[in-house]
């Protein structure tokens, strides 16, 4: 059966005459009659009793119209969804990101995005570097935010956003807090709070310390940077951190110093090589770029 026939039937049942249905549909009255006859023939049961060129619905017509009304409501919803998708107001965005990003600047990205796209769902998954790369590869997220330290990019397209230089943090009463910058050689035998050994940043710090034969006392290991900063605030030791983590230090007794020589890497936005971004995912990506610009202005990130 043709949709136009169902549309004519719905209009007739709602308005009672072929003339009224024709006016609603902006077609001729004779066309309405032909469409109704065609539908009736295809259905194989009588929809109307005909008396003196007038149509009276049968009981079967009323039963069938209940089904048609559900169909028409579904079509209207589909049309509304299409309009919302066209206006970037429907859909979902799944973002995988390393925990430090979830705890800091991504919160502002989400806030601004939701102001512009209130009906779009946002799901953020905190993930280690290898995990988020796998998520991009198997299309379980739209976007991923990671760093380029020893990253195997699997099937990801990589957009480099900015350069990071590691910072050394300590309690403000720590002797190193007096330094303008912290020579790596001065970290010999210092007490450290560290990320877990599977962290790319931890792996890089371990490598550098081993290369120049710096020994350190690791007093505690945590999976996320927020915990590392909190223990440094409590005076348990010093730490080498991602500069993004400086956003967690407001209101604490922790001070941050540059390292000499520097330990550098890049923040990267990862997307699938095989699956195009939806409009809403592109809009979320735009907000990420805006926030990266803000971080550069704050001096937290360096330009590429």
């Amino acid at each position: 059966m043709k949709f136009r026939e169902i549309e004519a039937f719905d209009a007739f049942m709602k308005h009672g005459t072929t003339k009224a249905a024709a006016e609603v549909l902006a077609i001729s009255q004779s066309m309405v009659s032909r469409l109704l006859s065609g539908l009736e023939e295809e259905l194989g049961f009588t929809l109307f009793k005909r008396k003196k060129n007038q149509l009276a619905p049968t009981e079967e017509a009323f039963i069938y119209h209940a089904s048609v009304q559900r169909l028409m409501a579904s079509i209207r919803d589909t049309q509304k969804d299409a309009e919302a998708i066209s206006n970037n107001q429907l859909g979902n965005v799944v973002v995988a990101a390393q925990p430090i990003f979830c705890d800091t600047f991504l919160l502002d990205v989400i806030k601004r995005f939701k102001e512009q796209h209130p009906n779009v769902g946002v799901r953020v998954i905190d993930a280690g570097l290898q995990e988020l790369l796998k998520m991009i590869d198997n299309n379980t997220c739209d976007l991923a935010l990671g760093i380029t330290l020893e990253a195997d990019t699997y099937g990801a397209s990589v957009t480099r956003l900015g350069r990071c230089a590691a910072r050394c943090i300590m309690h403000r009463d720590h002797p190193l807090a007096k330094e303008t910058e912290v020579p790596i050689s001065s970290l010999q035998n210092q007490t450290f709070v560290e990320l877990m050994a599977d962290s790319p940043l931890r792996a890089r710090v371990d490598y550098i310390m081993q290369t120049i034969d710096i020994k350190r006392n690791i007093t505690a290991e945590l999976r996320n940077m927020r915990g590392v900063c909190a223990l440094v605030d409590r005076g348990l030791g010093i730490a080498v951190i991602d500069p993004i983590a400086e956003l967690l230090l407001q209101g604490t007794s922790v001070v941050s110093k540059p390292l000499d020589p520097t330990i550098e890497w890049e923040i990267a936005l990862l997307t699938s090589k095989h699956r195009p971004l939806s409009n809403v995912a592109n809009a979320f990506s735009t907000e990420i770029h805006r926030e990266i610009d803000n971080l550069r202005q704050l001096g937290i990130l360096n330009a590429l």
Side-chain angles (χ1 to χ4, degrees):
M1 66 191 71
K2 302 178 179 65
F3 176 71
R4 198 60 167 162
E5 293 172 343
I6 294 174
E7 192 177 35
F9 174 68
D10 182 56
F12 176 86
M13 294 299 288
K14 286 179 177 177
H15 300 284
T17 67
T18 55
K19 180 180 179 181
E23 291 175 354
V24 169
L25 299 176
I27 59 177
S28 68
Q29 192 172 346
S30 60
M31 176 58 74
V32 171
S33 297
R34 286 196 296 272
L35 289 170
L36 295 177
S37 296
L39 178 62
E40 197 170 34
E41 183 177 341
E42 290 186 46
L43 291 174
F45 57 83
T46 302
L47 290 174
F48 306 104
K49 296 176 182 176
R50 291 170 172 80
K51 293 182 180 179
K52 297 181 180 179
N53 295 325
Q54 290 186 340
L55 301 181
T58 62
E59 182 62 24
E60 289 75 17
F62 286 106
I63 296 171
Y64 182 61
H65 187 235
S67 177
V68 167
Q69 285 181 303
R70 291 192 294 271
L71 172 64
M72 298 302 290
S74 176
I75 291 171
R76 286 192 292 272
D77 288 343
T78 300
Q79 290 172 334
K80 290 178 182 177
D81 287 351
E83 292 173 2
I85 292 170
S86 176
N87 294 321
N88 293 344
Q89 292 298 339
L90 187 70
N92 293 282
V93 180
V94 180
V95 182
Q98 295 184 247
I100 184 58
F101 304 150
C102 298
D103 286 342
T104 54
F105 72 90
L106 260 184
L107 301 176
D108 293 318
V109 171
I110 295 168
K111 179 178 182 295
R112 285 201 305 270
F113 178 81
K114 290 294 290 185
E115 288 172 350
Q116 299 298 320
H117 309 87
N119 298 319
V120 175
V122 177
R123 184 182 178 205
V124 178
I125 302 169
D126 62 331
L129 181 60
Q130 296 304 316
E131 182 183 355
L132 65 84
L133 286 168
K134 289 177 183 176
M135 290 178 68
I136 283 289
D137 190 45
N138 60 28
N139 292 322
T140 53
C141 70
D142 299 296
L143 303 163
L145 275 167
I147 63 176
T148 58
L149 276 177
E150 301 174 10
D152 179 355
T153 56
Y154 290 79
S157 293
V158 179
T159 301
R160 289 168 171 78
L161 300 175
R163 291 193 64 79
C164 299
R167 307 283 293 186
C168 184
I169 60 171
M170 68 288 299
H171 192 277
R172 63 188 175 198
D173 294 332
H174 193 282
L176 288 177
K178 299 175 184 178
E179 303 287 343
T180 302
E181 60 182 20
V182 176
I184 287 183
S185 59
S186 69
L187 302 181
Q188 180 75 267
N189 297 322
Q190 292 287 345
T191 299
F192 270 75
V193 180
E194 287 281 10
L195 291 169
M196 302 296 284
D198 59 357
S199 159
L201 176 56
R202 166 69 184 277
R204 179 58 65 90
V205 172
D206 285 350
Y207 174 77
I208 290 174
M209 297 300 180
Q210 291 167 8
T211 299
I212 60 177
D213 197 25
I214 297 291
K215 294 178 173 59
R216 64 202 197 279
N217 172 31
I218 300 175
T219 189
E221 296 175 293
L222 295 94
R223 189 159 295 281
N224 61 74
M225 194 69 76
R226 181 180 289 277
V228 169
C229 294
L231 287 185
V232 172
D233 188 35
R234 288 162 173 79
L236 261 70
I238 66 175
V240 174
I241 65 165
D242 187 312
I244 300 293
E246 290 188 316
L247 297 171
L248 300 174
L249 302 182
Q250 293 181 0
T252 71
S253 298
V254 177
V255 295
S256 174
K257 304 289 182 176
L259 282 167
D260 181 30
T262 62
I263 303 172
E264 293 188 321
W265 62 90
E266 295 170 343
I267 291 181
L269 180 65
L270 310 174
T271 57
S272 173
K273 289 181 180 178
H274 313 296
R275 177 184 172 192
L277 285 180
S278 66
N279 288 338
V280 291
N282 265 316
F284 197 92
S285 173
T286 298
E287 292 301 334
I288 289 175
H289 282 273
R290 285 182 57 190
E291 190 58 29
I292 291 296
D293 288 341
N294 290 340
L295 294 176
R296 288 198 197 97
Q297 293 175 15
L298 291 171
I300 291 173
L301 290 181
N302 301 321
L304 292 171

